[in-house]
Every structure is written in C-alpha cells, then in structure tokens.
C-alpha cells in the first residue's frame, strides 16, 4: 500500500531537517499563490453578484431589451459564468486583464500608468512615515510615561482619530487656500517636471503619513516595551550599557517581527486604502480609476483593480511573514 | 587586607500595591552590614523574601522593579557607590562588578551570538580591544569546561544547553576582569548532575581569576562548597553571619540549625511491598509530534506506601503521571488500579475510578482558579464526587482545613492571599476531599523554601498514616527520596533504569546512573565538592 503522498512527506521532512528556513519560505509562497487564486474567485463572483448592469447604464434612456441583449452578446455576457471566469483567469495569468467595456482600451495599459502613480505616492508616504514612526516609537519608549512620550501619544492618537478625508481637507484649507504654499489639486500628468510632481503630491503624502504614522508608532512602542521587560534587558543594564544603546542593540532586534508586521499592514494600506485620499486630492491613481469604473459598471476594470489590490496586500503580508521568520534566530540557525 | 566591598546598615524599600488599598511603602531589608575581602566568597542564604537577591543587586546599585535603596552605604574599595551619578554607576556595572542571574536562558539576548554578548561589557567600558576580549572569552570558555571553546562564542543561546548557558553567563561576568561578581542562584534551575559541573566550573574560575563573589542561594549545602563566609538572612534581617565552618558545624541560631538539619529521614521503609495498588506494565508513550518519551516502563505502587520517581528534567517522569491519569493514552502497555484495568483514555474512565486517583502539582498557583475562595476550591470535589452540599459541605471543608493545619479562618480567602506553602496545603486538601487511594504528587515541594517544603512533607506523611493513602511522588531531589520513600524508581531519558525498595536502590551495588545521581547531590559537608571532583579525576585517570 504505497501512499502517493508519502514521498512528498518524506521530502518535506528531509528539507525540514536540512533547510528549515527555505521550507518555511517556500510554504509561505505557495500559500500566497493559493490565497490569490481564492481571491480571484471571490472577486469574479462578487462582481457578478453586483446589482446593476453595464448595458443598462451605458444605454441609459435608449435601453430597449434588444439593444441590451446585443451589447451583452458583444461582451460575451450570455456565456456561462465558469467559461468567462477561466477565460479571464487565463488572460490574467499572462498579464492581460481584457478590454475596458467603457473605452474599449486594454485595461492593462491604463492600469500600469495608474498603478505607477499610486505607487509613486505610496513610496513617498512610506519613505517618510516608516522611519519616522519607528524613530518616534523608540523616543517614546526612552521617555516612557514622561512628557515627550505623552505628547507623541496624544498627537498620534489625534491623527488616527480624524478621518483621512477630514485631515485632507484641513491640510488643503490651511496650506493651499490660506497660506498658499502647497499645490492643489494634486493632479499629475505626463510631461510634468520632477519638482512639479513632488510639489503636487506634498499634501496627499502628508495626509497619508499622518494616517498611518500613529498605528505604526504605537505598535513599535508596545513591541519595544514588551521586550524591555525581559531579563536580557536587565542584563544589558547591569553590563553598564546606556539606555538608548540597550534599546537599539538589544531591544530592537527582538522587536523586529511585530514591528515589520504592522509596517506591512500599513504599507498595504498606503496602496490599497488610498481611494479616499486620491478622490479628495483629485489624484489620478488606482483608487480613483476603480471608483470611476464602479460608477459606470466597467467590470473588467473593477476586477483588475480588485485583484491588484489583493495581490499587493498578500505580497506585503507575505514579505512581513518572511522577514519575521528570517529575524528569528531559532529558525535562521537551527541547532 | 582592606575590604573590597563593605556594606553598612543597608536599607532597601519597595512600593507595594495591595488590591483595593492605597500603595504602601515597605522596607524589605532592615539594616544589613557585611564585609568582603578581595578574592573571597560570601554566601547569602535564606528563603524567598529574605532579601538576598535584593542585597546582591545593591552591590551594583540596582533595584529591580519598584525596589530602591533607602539608606546605608555600599562601599566599593572605599567609595560609596550609592552616591555616584548615573554615569558613575554605569562605569562600575559590567566593569568592576558583574552579575550572574538565576535564569541564564532568559538573560541572554536570543538575537545575538553568545560570544558577542560575553565580550560586550569589556568592549563597552573600553577595557580591552576586541581581539583581547575574544581571546579572554575563549580562555574563559575553556576553564569553564565548555565544549569547543574556540568556536563556542559563534553559537546562539538557543543552540546550547541550560547548563552551558549558565557557564557562558559566568564567562560573561568574568570577561571584563571584575573585582566582584554577584551570583544569584546560578545553579538552582539546573539538574543535579549538571549543577555539580557548573558549581565546579564556577569554583575553578573564581580560584583562577582571584575575583571576589557574593553567592546567593537557598541551598546551604551548595553554598557550603564555595564560600568562605556565610550570612543567613530571614525577612530582611541578618540571622547569623560567620565563617562557613562555624555556620555548618556549629550553628548558633535555631533558624540556622533548622536549615542545617533539614530533611532527615522521616520514615522507616515498609517491609512488605508486594501489595500493589497501582500497576504500570510495559508502558510506551509518545506525544503528538511522534517523539517517544516513555520506553517500556513497568513499576507498581504498593498500597498505603510511597513510590518516589526520580530523574532529571526530560526523563519522562511527569509524562508517566499523565499516562496514569489518562491524559496521555500510551500506545503500548496497560495500567491496573486495584483489580480494574484502567481505560487508557480519561474520558472512558468511570467517575469512581477518577475519584480514586488525585493529583497535586508543582505550581499550586496555576492549578487553582484565582477567582474561587478556598472554601469553593476544596468544596468542589466534595460536591462532584459525593453530592455533598450546603452546610454539610461547609462543615466537611472546615474539617479538611483543620486536617491541613490551616483552620476555618481560611474558608473565605482567595488563593492570592495565601503563601506558597498554604496554597500547596489547599491543593492537598482538595485532593484529599475526593477520598483518593492514590495521590500523584508532581514535584509538590520543589517551588517551596526548604523549611516550608519540610512542613508539606510532614503533612503528607501524617495523612498517609491516618488514611492509608498511597503516593506516587515525582521529584528530582534525592534528599526527599531518602526522607519519605518506601520504594524508588529512577528514570533516564524515558527509560526505567532502576526500581525497587529504597534500601536497595540507594545502597550499593548501584546502577551506573543512580550512582552518578546520588554522588551529584550536594552534601552539607565542607570539602564535599573537592572530594567528588577528586574521585572523578581518579576515575577518569584510571580509564
């Protein structure tokens, strides 16, 4: 009685003995691919279940049953859902998201540009917020329960409590309207110079930084404090290390895993959750593209945006997982 | 010779937060004084709460948690370190005075290599160059008997054993060539066979480097091997302070005498051990991950007697208890109780079968619901097994409270209001409430101070006499085995290596492992360590 899985199990076991790290990472990768596929099913089914119809919306007043049927036939909507799903999936795997129903142009082309804009914004927001959050978290721990810690806490709580559109409008009123030092709207277009671009995204970047900063800062603070109460921190203190040196050298490496996790969540938010900010600042990114597509029921675009958002989210979380695994000396250096 | 460390009228305070009351400032060390000369070792000994660790840390001008030094002087080479500013204190810690903690496993940073951590203090204070420090660390690894000393520093804390970590921590303390090291129970968490190696390594290192040491422990036999002077502490006061020979051979205070005479034989061994109450036959068991922890274990517990199961951590003795209770079904073998063969799984056993075997755990704390009163805790088995309720139940609980020498006043108390020994007594009363025939005792005294443990053992023996209850007593402490066991089972790596009446197992001819185990238990005798080490040397030279 040969078990067909026995060979796989044996191979897995051997790998676990020799390269536990490789095995864990390969497993995470496989899991991510599986997850992404499940999400693709959900997105397709969800979009299918949405009320409203592209043909109806497109034709408006002139929607006769015949005209609607014609459009549906043109788009291939009269075919069974499974056929359409696998056709779509087959295209997606090759990087082809189909054509937009509204414009007829390939979705991939449009999305590349929009995604680039969104990533541009997210990159600057991340480059500012991550070091700032981790740094402020360390400062807060250093001055724990004293004035600087309290100020950092109150400000970050205030920032996290205000809705992002409100922060956005506040910044616009203050910096663009009253002081006139910032650019609004933040629309970017081809042929813009670098300095113009940077100036255009200043306000949306500031908004995003304020929104994600608090969460990351507070998690950094909590993670380091939990590490600080461990016996090896006492050892460091009794070796005569200064407080800040002890935090950087002994607390930080052990706080990496939880911090990276929350950083990844927030980076994902910077890409996925920018919809509101992009709309407020009239910024031509993925978020606004998706919102526009939803209003006209342009399903290929909605599906593509949804899937890309999901992929970014899964990818960043996977990276966080892998970093946490690699940061664990028990896995990096097996006995 | 001038004193290296001179402590005068040291007073240490702490703020406590009693539930429902305002925070209170209390004094935990009340004016302790002592002197320590260069190269000498002073042993600080006492029960938990005696203030010995607190005093030890005061030598580094450090207070753990909310503890702070409120008065007195700590003179290091003529300078009061309590008067130094932060920078001055930092320049002493890890350079002139070093600390070795009880749990090296928790005290090493898991993210850095051992070698880097060992030399960190010396580098931080600019005492040597990196090359010099590494060379010294390797030398220390060597004299502390660590394997492959040249490469030992490249390993991470999780890659070496507990005993090795404890020695590495000693190396870490010795590396900057300090004038004084504070050892805080450095061998308490170790198995006896490991403890003796670490003890020998520490003694050797102290001799070779000429550093002075404060050696903190609750085990008088251990401290007798390593100290020049001993200070006995109780509740933050000095009980007795003198040279080691005087304390061990001629103690003056009653408390010290009690410590020296702890654990004398309490019980003559039962003659007839053939009437088996519990029989374990050919048990082999494994955990879910496929690791086999018990290999073909067979033994029996005679009715109304005590079987002591001894072994080091990982020897499978607690697993054996789990098999007997049915918490871990074995894959081979059977358990017979009285005339019944017990089902391997607990859920298939009858309520009466469950009643007849009860358990007492090492940590009474975690085995009790903190939100229930003592009355509820002890009353629960009465109601569950016998359906006793109301006033009758209360009367019965009070009867049990008298039985464990605590009395009615404890009926409405919560576990948090009890001391460690009292909690263990409540756990015993709870087991007793079920009128069991067998009580499995899993290290019930190893978390307790010697004199408190003594009281628990006395109680258990009295209950056995009165109620004919049998004990399967799991322990790593040979002294307890000598004191209370009728029969002894010795376990090593999941196998039974020796089993029989106490007089046979603990007397020659020995099984090899039993011999090693017995020889490793520190004896309250001066020069015992040297003697054992000399014997070992001769044996290895003979081979």
């Amino acid at each position: 009685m040969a078990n067909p899985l026995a060979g796989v199990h044996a191979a897995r076991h051997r790998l676990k003995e020799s390269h536990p790290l490789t095995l864990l990472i390969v497993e995470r990768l496989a899991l991510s691919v599986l997850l992404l596929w499940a999400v693709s099913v959900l997105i397709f089914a969800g979009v299918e279940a949405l009320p409203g119809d592209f043909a109806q919306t497109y034709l408006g007043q002139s929607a006769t049953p015949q005209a609607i049927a014609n459009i549906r036939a043109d788009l291939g909507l009269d075919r069974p859902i499974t056929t359409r799903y696998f056709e779509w999936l087959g295209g997606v795997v090759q990087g082809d998201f189909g054509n937009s129903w509204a414009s007829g142009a390939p979705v991939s082309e449009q999305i590349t540009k929009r995604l680039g804009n969104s990533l541009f914004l997210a990159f600057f927001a991340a480059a500012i917020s991550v070091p700032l959050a981790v740094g402020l978290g360390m400062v807060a721990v250093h001055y724990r329960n004293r004035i600087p810690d309290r100020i950092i806490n109150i400000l970050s709580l205030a920032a996290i409590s205000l809705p992002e559109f409100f922060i956005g409008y506040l910044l616009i009123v203050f910096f663009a309207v009253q002081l006139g030092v910032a650019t609004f709207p933040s629309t970017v277009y081809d042929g813009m110079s670098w300095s113009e671009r940077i100036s255009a995204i200043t306000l949306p970047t500031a908004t995003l930084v304020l929104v994600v900063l608090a969460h990351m800062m507070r998690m950094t603070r909590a993670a380091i404090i939990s590490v600080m109460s461990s016996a090896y921190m006492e050892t460091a203190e009794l070796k005569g290390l200064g407080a800040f040196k002890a935090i950087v050298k002994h607390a930080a490496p052990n706080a990496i895993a939880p911090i990276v996790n929350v950083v990844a969540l927030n980076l994902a938010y910077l890409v996925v959750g920018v919809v509101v900010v992009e709309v407020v600042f009239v910024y031509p990114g993925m978020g606004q593209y998706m919102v526009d597509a939803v209003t006209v029921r342009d399903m290929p675009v909605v599906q593509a945006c949804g899937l890309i958002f999901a992929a970014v989210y899964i990818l960043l979380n996977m990276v966080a997982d892998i970093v946490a695994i690699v940061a664990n000396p028990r896995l990096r250096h097996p006995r | 010779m001038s004193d290296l460390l001179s402590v005068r009228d040291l007073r240490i305070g702490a703020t406590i937060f009693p539930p429902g009351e305002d925070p209170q400032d209390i004094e935990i060390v009340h004016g302790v004084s002592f002197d320590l000369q260069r190269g000498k070792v002073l042993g600080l000994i006492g029960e938990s709460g005696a203030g010995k660790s607190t005093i030890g840390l005061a030598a580094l001008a450090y207070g753990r948690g909310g503890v702070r030094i409120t008065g007195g002087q700590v003179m290091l080479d003529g300078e009061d370190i309590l008067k130094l500013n932060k920078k001055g204190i930092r320049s002493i810690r890890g350079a002139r005075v070093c600390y070795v903690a009880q749990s090296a496993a928790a005290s090493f940073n898991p993210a850095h290599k051992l070698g880097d951590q060992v030399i960190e203090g010396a580098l931080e204070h600019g005492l040597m160059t990196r090359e010099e420090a590494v060379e010294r660390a390797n030398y220390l690894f060597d004299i502390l008997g660590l394997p492959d000393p040249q490469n030992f520093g490249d390993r991470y804390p999780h890659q070496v054993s507990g005993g090795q970590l404890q020695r590495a921590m000693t190396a870490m303390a010795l590396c900057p060539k300090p004038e004084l090291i504070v050892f805080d129970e450095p061998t308490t968490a170790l198995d006896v066979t490991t403890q003796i190696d670490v003890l020998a390594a520490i003694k050797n290192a102290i001799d070779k480097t000429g550093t002075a040491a404060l050696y903190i422990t609750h085990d008088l036999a251990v401290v007798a091997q390593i100290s020049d002077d001993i200070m006995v502490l109780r509740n933050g006061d000095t009980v007795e302070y003198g040279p080691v020979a005087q304390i061990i051979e001629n103690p003056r205070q009653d408390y010290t005498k009690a410590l020296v005479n702890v654990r004398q034989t309490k019980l003559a061994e039962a003659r007839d051990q053939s009437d088996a109450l519990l029989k374990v036959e050919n048990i082999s068991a494994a955990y879910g991950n496929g690791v086999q922890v018990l290999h073909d274990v067979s033994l029996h517990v005679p009715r109304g007697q005590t079987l002591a199961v001894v072994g080091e951590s990982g020897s499978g003795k607690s697993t054996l208890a789990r098999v007997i209770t049915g918490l871990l079904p074995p894959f081979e073998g059977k358990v017979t109780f009285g005339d019944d063969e017990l089902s391997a799984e607990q859920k298939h056993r009858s309520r009466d079968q469950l009643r007849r075997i009860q358990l007492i755990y090492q940590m009474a704390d975690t085995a009790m619901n903190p939100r229930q009163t003592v009355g509820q805790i002890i009353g629960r088995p009465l109601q569950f097994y016998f359906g006793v309720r109301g006033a009758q139940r209360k009367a019965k609980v009070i009867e049990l409270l008298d039985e464990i020498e605590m009395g009615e006043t404890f009926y409405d108390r919560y576990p948090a209001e009890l001391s460690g020994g009292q909690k263990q007594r409540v756990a015993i009363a709870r087991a007793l409430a079920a009128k069991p025939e067998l009580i499995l005792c899993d290290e019930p005294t190893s978390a307790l101070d010697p004199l408190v443990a003594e009281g628990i053992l006395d109680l258990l023996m009295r209950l056995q006499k009165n109620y004919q209850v049998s004990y399967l007593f799991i322990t790593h402490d040979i002294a307890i085995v000598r004191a209370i066991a009728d029969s002894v089972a010795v376990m090593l790596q999941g196998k039974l290596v020796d089993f029989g009446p106490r007089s046979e197992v603990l007397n020659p001819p020995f099984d090899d492992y039993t011999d090693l185990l017995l020889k490793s238990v520190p004896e309250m005798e001066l020069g015992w360590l040297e003697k054992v080490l000399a014997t070992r040397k001769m044996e290895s030279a003979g081979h």
Side-chain angles (χ1 to χ4, degrees):
Chain A
M1 290 241 299
N3 184 347
L5 281 175
V8 179
H9 276 298
R12 187 180 175 277
H13 195 74
R14 271 201 305 281
L15 200 59
K16 195 176 174 183
E17 295 288 307
S18 55
H19 301 282
L21 204 57
T22 321
L23 179 70
L24 274 169
I25 291 172
V26 168
E27 277 179 349
R28 282 289 181 293
L29 280 170
L31 212 59
S32 299
V33 171
L34 194 71
L35 201 58
L36 199 55
W37 171 76
V39 168
S40 80
V41 173
L42 278 180
I43 287 176
F44 200 84
V47 164
E48 199 67 24
L50 276 183
D53 180 58
F54 170 73
Q56 191 98 43
T57 321
Y58 183 70
L59 292 169
Q61 295 287 14
S62 56
T64 62
Q66 186 54 44
I68 289 175
N70 283 344
I71 288 184
R72 289 180 63 86
D74 280 352
L75 296 173
L77 289 178
D78 48 353
R79 290 176 303 143
I81 179 168
T82 45
T83 319
R84 284 184 285 129
Y85 171 71
F86 283 111
E87 250 178 46
W88 174 68
L89 189 66
V92 167
V93 172
Q94 297 164 41
D96 176 13
F97 288 92
N99 291 341
S100 160
W101 293 349
S103 67
V107 175
S108 316
E109 228 165 76
Q110 278 286 317
I111 263 187
T112 319
K113 216 163 102 195
R114 294 295 192 122
L115 183 62
N117 284 344
S118 276
L119 288 179
F120 185 68
L121 186 58
F123 171 79
F124 280 97
I128 295 171
S129 62
V130 173
L132 195 61
V134 173
L136 281 178
M138 288 189 180
V139 171
V141 172
H142 187 57
Y143 294 101
R144 190 176 170 189
N145 295 337
R146 286 185 280 161
I147 301 289
D149 180 29
R150 298 233 170 95
I151 292 174
I152 291 173
N153 260 317
I154 290 171
L155 290 184
S156 63
L157 260 184
I160 211 174
S161 308
L162 292 174
E164 53 208 278
F165 66 85
F166 187 69
I167 296 181
Y169 286 130
L170 272 185
L171 291 179
I172 292 169
V173 166
F174 204 69
F175 290 102
V177 179
Q178 297 210 332
L179 295 176
V181 290
T183 318
F184 178 83
S186 307
T187 316
V188 293
Y189 45 84
D190 295 340
M192 237 180 161
S193 75
W194 256 89
S195 59
E196 279 173 324
R197 264 179 197 264
I198 299 286
S199 144
I201 64 160
T202 308
L203 285 187
T205 305
T207 310
L208 284 172
V209 167
L210 283 175
V211 170
V212 296
L213 187 67
H215 191 202
M216 288 192 284
M217 192 287 288
R218 294 177 73 83
M219 278 303 291
T220 305
R221 181 179 178 276
I224 292 182
I225 282 178
S226 104
V227 170
M228 291 294 283
S229 59
S230 56
Y232 53 78
M233 292 309 291
E234 186 181 273
T235 307
E237 194 175 347
L238 291 180
K239 267 182 197 168
L241 261 63
F244 209 78
K245 200 164 185 180
I247 292 178
V248 172
K249 196 167 169 198
H250 287 279
N254 294 289
I256 279 181
I259 294 175
V260 165
N261 259 311
V262 72
V263 165
L265 268 180
N266 281 287
L267 289 185
Y269 179 83
L270 284 178
V271 179
V272 175
V274 289
V275 177
V276 177
V277 172
E278 286 183 0
V279 172
V280 167
F281 287 95
V282 205
Y283 184 81
M286 283 273 285
Q288 214 179 33
Y289 189 44
M290 187 170 175
V291 170
D292 292 346
V294 169
T295 26
V296 298
R297 305 283 186 275
D298 193 347
M299 295 319 171
V301 176
V302 177
Q303 283 165 359
C305 289
L307 197 64
I308 287 173
F309 282 156
V312 168
Y313 207 83
I314 291 171
L315 181 79
L316 282 168
N317 277 292
M318 184 189 72
V319 169
D321 266 7
I322 291 176
V323 170
I325 291 170
V326 173
N328 184 342
R330 284 167 195 278
L331 295 168
R332 202 168 64 231
H333 306 278
R335 294 184 75 110
Chain B
M1 200 150 77
S2 72
D3 293 325
L4 171 67
L5 182 72
S6 175
V7 172
R8 284 288 160 273
D9 194 31
L10 180 65
R11 291 177 184 276
I12 300 177
T15 307
I16 55 165
F17 302 88
E21 289 171 52
D22 288 336
Q24 293 167 8
D25 284 337
I26 54 163
E27 193 174 78
I28 51 179
V29 172
H30 321 285
V32 166
S33 305
F34 59 83
D35 299 299
L36 179 62
Q37 293 175 341
R38 283 184 192 278
K40 298 282 181 191
V41 180
L42 170 66
L44 297 179
I45 178 154
E47 306 178 347
S48 49
K52 49 195 195 304
S53 290
T54 315
I55 295 172
L57 286 168
L60 294 109
Y62 182 78
R64 196 176 265 161
V67 169
R68 62 194 174 276
I69 299 163
T70 50
Q73 296 175 317
V74 177
M75 312 288 285
L76 183 69
D77 212 6
E79 183 185 24
D80 188 355
I81 61 168
L82 300 182
K83 293 214 173 73
L84 292 173
N85 61 11
K86 269 188 176 175
K87 209 176 151 209
I89 289 174
R90 268 199 354 236
S91 70
I92 286 177
R93 290 178 184 164
R96 297 176 61 194
V97 187
C98 292
Y99 179 72
V100 177
Q102 173 171 358
S103 169
S107 300
F108 273 109
N109 190 331
H112 296 297
K113 288 177 182 171
L114 286 169
D116 291 339
Q117 300 190 57
V118 166
I119 62 173
E120 187 179 17
L123 296 188
E124 171 71 20
H125 296 289
L127 299 173
M128 39 189 103
T129 65
R130 193 177 178 84
E131 290 70 36
E132 285 165 0
V134 170
E135 196 179 315
R136 174 155 173 86
N138 292 345
Y139 163 73
L140 290 168
F141 293 149
D142 189 24
I143 64 169
L144 284 161
L146 286 163
D148 192 10
Q150 293 305 314
N151 298 312
F152 185 81
D154 288 335
R155 306 176 80 176
Y156 282 83
H158 69 273
Q159 293 175 311
V160 307
S161 72
Q164 289 171 356
L165 269 185
Q166 206 69 51
R167 279 179 267 178
M169 184 134 201
T170 305
M172 185 155 85
L174 283 164
C175 188
K177 303 187 182 168
E179 294 154 64
L180 173 67
I181 299 183
V182 178
F183 289 95
D184 193 353
E185 306 248 12
T187 64
T188 305
L190 304 174
D191 287 317
V192 274
T193 49
T194 318
Q195 164 172 289
I196 186 170
D197 291 334
V198 175
L199 213 53
I202 289 176
K203 194 175 167 75
N204 181 31
I206 289 177
D207 288 348
K208 281 206 173 137
T209 56
T211 180
L214 279 179
Y215 196 100
I216 297 161
T217 177
H218 67 274
D219 191 338
L220 197 51
V222 164
V223 84
Q225 309 311 321
I226 215 157
S227 306
D228 300 294
D229 291 322
I230 290 182
M231 175 175 245
V232 183
L233 292 157
R234 191 180 196 193
N235 299 329
D237 280 312
T238 310
V239 176
E240 196 166 353
Y241 174 35
V244 64
Q246 180 252 307
I247 299 280
I248 300 293
E249 284 157 10
N250 188 19
R252 293 190 188 125
Q253 301 294 323
D254 291 343
Y255 180 71
T256 317
K257 285 178 192 160
L259 281 180
V260 172
N261 295 322
V262 88
R263 272 179 221 150
Q264 306 285 338
T265 310
K266 300 185 184 309
L267 213 79
E269 171 186 321
R271 289 240 183 91
D272 181 12
Q273 304 192 350
S274 57
D275 182 14
L277 172 69
L278 175 87
K279 241 181 169 164
V280 171
E281 287 166 89
N282 307 102
I283 289 286
S284 292
Y287 281 114
N289 53 11
V291 178
Q292 191 172 346
V293 273
L294 288 179
H295 303 263
D296 195 23
V297 173
S298 301
L299 46 81
H300 68 268
V301 184
R303 202 179 292 271
Q305 297 180 16
T306 304
L307 166 68
V309 179
V310 273
E312 309 191 334
S313 46
S315 63
K317 44 193 202 304
S318 289
T319 309
L320 181 63
R322 288 173 62 87
V323 168
I324 294 170
T325 53
L327 290 171
L328 178 74
F331 64 80
E332 237 176 55
K334 63 176 183 175
V335 179
T336 322
F337 191 76
D339 300 326
D340 312 339
E341 181 177 337
L342 292 180
S343 160
E345 281 183 66
Q346 193 193 25
K347 59 184 178 197
H348 298 138
R349 293 184 184 177
S350 71
R351 189 175 285 198
D352 196 53
Q353 284 174 337
L354 295 179
R355 177 189 67 75
R356 293 161 72 189
I357 302 179
Q358 294 293 315
L359 263 160
I360 306 172
Y361 303 89
Q362 177 175 4
M363 293 290 170
D365 262 341
T366 52
M368 275 180 212
N369 187 336
R371 302 251 169 226
Q372 287 186 345
T373 62
V374 167
Q376 286 171 308
I377 290 169
I378 302 178
R380 171 83 187 133
L382 290 170
Q383 189 168 336
F384 181 76
Y385 290 118
F386 307 110
V388 183
R389 283 164 199 278
Q392 212 188 341
R393 178 175 127 168
K394 181 166 182 179
K396 203 80 188 125
V397 170
I398 290 170
E399 209 176 288
L400 283 161
L401 279 171
D402 287 335
E403 192 72 74
I404 56 167
E405 297 151 8
M406 281 172 72
E408 192 177 345
T409 47
F410 286 90
Y411 187 85
D412 287 319
R413 302 263 191 102
Y414 287 92
E417 300 170 73
L418 307 180
S419 71
Q422 287 170 338
K423 278 181 218 163
Q424 201 55 277
R425 281 170 190 263
V426 170
I428 292 172
R430 176 174 62 181
L432 211 58
K435 296 201 176 127
E437 290 162 50
L438 174 68
I439 300 182
L440 306 178
C441 310
D442 192 351
E443 305 252 13
T445 58
S446 58
L448 302 175
D449 291 313
L451 293 178
V452 179
E454 184 92 343
I456 297 287
L457 293 178
D458 286 338
L459 174 66
L460 287 171
M461 290 303 104
R462 190 165 57 72
L463 295 175
Q464 182 167 60
K465 213 168 124 204
N466 294 350
Y467 299 102
Q468 298 304 307
V469 59
S470 305
Y471 299 123
L472 185 145
F473 199 103
I474 294 168
T475 182
H476 66 273
D477 188 340
I478 300 285
I480 292 181
V481 179
R482 285 215 175 91
I484 65 166
D486 294 297
S487 48
V488 181
V490 183
M491 294 189 67
L492 174 65
Q493 292 166 6
K495 295 191 182 87
L496 190 69
V497 295
D498 208 349
F499 173 61
R502 180 181 74 197
S503 52
E504 278 174 28
V505 174
L506 299 192
N507 286 313
F510 291 119
D511 160 81
D512 283 352
Y513 177 70
T514 312
D515 190 29
L516 174 69
L517 207 56
L518 289 176
K519 279 193 187 148
S520 305
V521 181
E523 303 217 2
M524 200 92 61
E525 178 192 320
L526 296 182
W528 166 84
L529 184 62
E530 283 88 348
K531 223 161 58 189
V532 173
L533 295 177
T535 326
R536 276 193 185 181
K537 221 176 251 167
M538 263 159 48
E539 276 172 11
S540 58
H543 283 300

